[in-house]
Amino acid sequence: MVKVGDDLLAAIGGLPAATSPLVVEAEGIHKWFGRQHALKGVSLTVRRQEVVVVIGPSGSGKTTFIRCVNHLEKIEEGRIKVNGHLIGYQEVDGRLKEDREKNIALQRREIGMVFQRFNLFPHKTALENVTEAPIQVRGIREDEAKALGMAILARVGLAHRADAYPVQLSGGQQQRVAIARALAMKPALMLFDEPTSALDPEMIGEVLEVMKELAREGMTMIVVSHEMGFAREVADRMVMMDDGRILEEGTPEHFFENPQQERTQAFLSKIL
């Protein structure tokens, strides 16, 4: 198991200044892929320092929703704010108009995302993967970025592999580098899209331990996951999605002891 330090967020300079008590405000989100209505009026708020775990069957809209939060997918209806800022769009005369890509890129600096697949640059070392965005996007000097990168890699237990290329790292190590890379941008929000689903069972724990430490230290997180042990231990709130809608939400105790919806009960009975 990875031992993570007690001051992980301090090592990356802390969180961005709060501009809203709600880090995520999603209202009435609709998304279509051709004729497929993937999201059907999804609304969700996430408070600062809250950990929300989203569960549900494949095709329920979980991944689509968090990709919309990062504007990796465009929405057809609704609006999403992160850290008080409208994401992906500007409001003009009461209507939303898609923002310029430059502005969208600036908005994304406040959102870190960790994917199922690690998406590391194969030709760059672990340290170079972590420092690329701070240098290119935030304009941090290379020496400062390297110091920051080494601090974050140390906190996720990988300082000794800073010079290793992705092909030289295990799946769990690659995912920890991916988490470090997202943290290097000092995000207000971290999105995790089933971050352990591509890992061998013995590697899952080391990634979950890093995520647990982030949660304990106050990182606001939305986690799409089937890791119910993680949800029970770390989640402040759980959300059940199915067929593009939120069916039920509540505390872990509510979900594991007294879920109300039959669909939720059926889903949990298959994975617990």
Side-chain angles (χ1 to χ4, degrees), residues 93-222:
D93 297 329
R95 294 186 176 185
L96 296 186
K97 177 182 178 182
E98 189 170 14
D99 211 339
R100 293 182 300 170
E101 188 58 40
K102 181 179 179 180
N103 290 337
I104 294 171
L106 291 174
Q107 294 168 342
R108 286 194 183 119
R109 298 190 309 182
E110 298 191 72
I111 307 170
M113 187 159 183
V114 179
F115 301 87
Q116 296 179 34
R117 297 291 176 179
F118 323 120
N119 292 349
L120 299 177
F121 295 116
H123 61 290
K124 293 183 179 294
T125 66
L127 180 59
E128 289 169 342
N129 267 279
V130 173
T131 60
E132 176 78 8
I135 293 172
Q136 298 299 327
V137 179
R138 287 197 178 273
I140 297 176
R141 289 191 348 227
E142 186 173 350
D143 58 338
E144 293 179 350
K146 286 183 176 180
L148 170 66
M150 286 302 299
I152 299 174
L153 284 173
R155 293 304 188 181
V156 299
L158 288 174
H160 65 296
R161 302 308 309 274
D163 295 327
Y165 290 90
V167 71
Q168 299 170 312
L169 300 173
S170 70
Q173 290 173 332
Q174 289 185 60
Q175 194 63 295
R176 283 187 279 153
V177 172
I179 294 173
R181 178 179 60 182
L183 290 173
M185 291 296 286
K186 304 180 182 179
L189 169 70
M190 285 285 286
L191 305 173
F192 293 88
D193 182 15
E194 299 192 34
T196 61
S197 64
L199 300 178
D200 293 335
E202 64 268 23
M203 298 176 184
I204 291 174
E206 63 190 50
V207 172
L208 291 179
E209 188 61 32
V210 172
M211 294 170 62
K212 290 175 185 177
E213 192 69 16
L214 282 174
R216 287 191 287 265
E217 294 186 356
M219 176 61 77
T220 308
M221 300 162 61
I222 302 178

Side-chain angles (χ1 to χ4, degrees), residues 46-65:
V46 181
R47 298 185 301 274
R48 193 163 299 280
Q49 299 188 334
E50 187 177 22
V51 177
V52 175
V53 175
V54 183
I55 65 173
S58 297
S60 61
K62 309 183 301 297
T63 292
T64 298
F65 174 69

Side-chain angles (χ1 to χ4, degrees), residues 21-33:
L22 296 176
V23 175
V24 178
E25 301 169 78
E27 180 183 350
I29 305 305
H30 287 264
K31 172 66 182 177
W32 281 265
F33 293 105

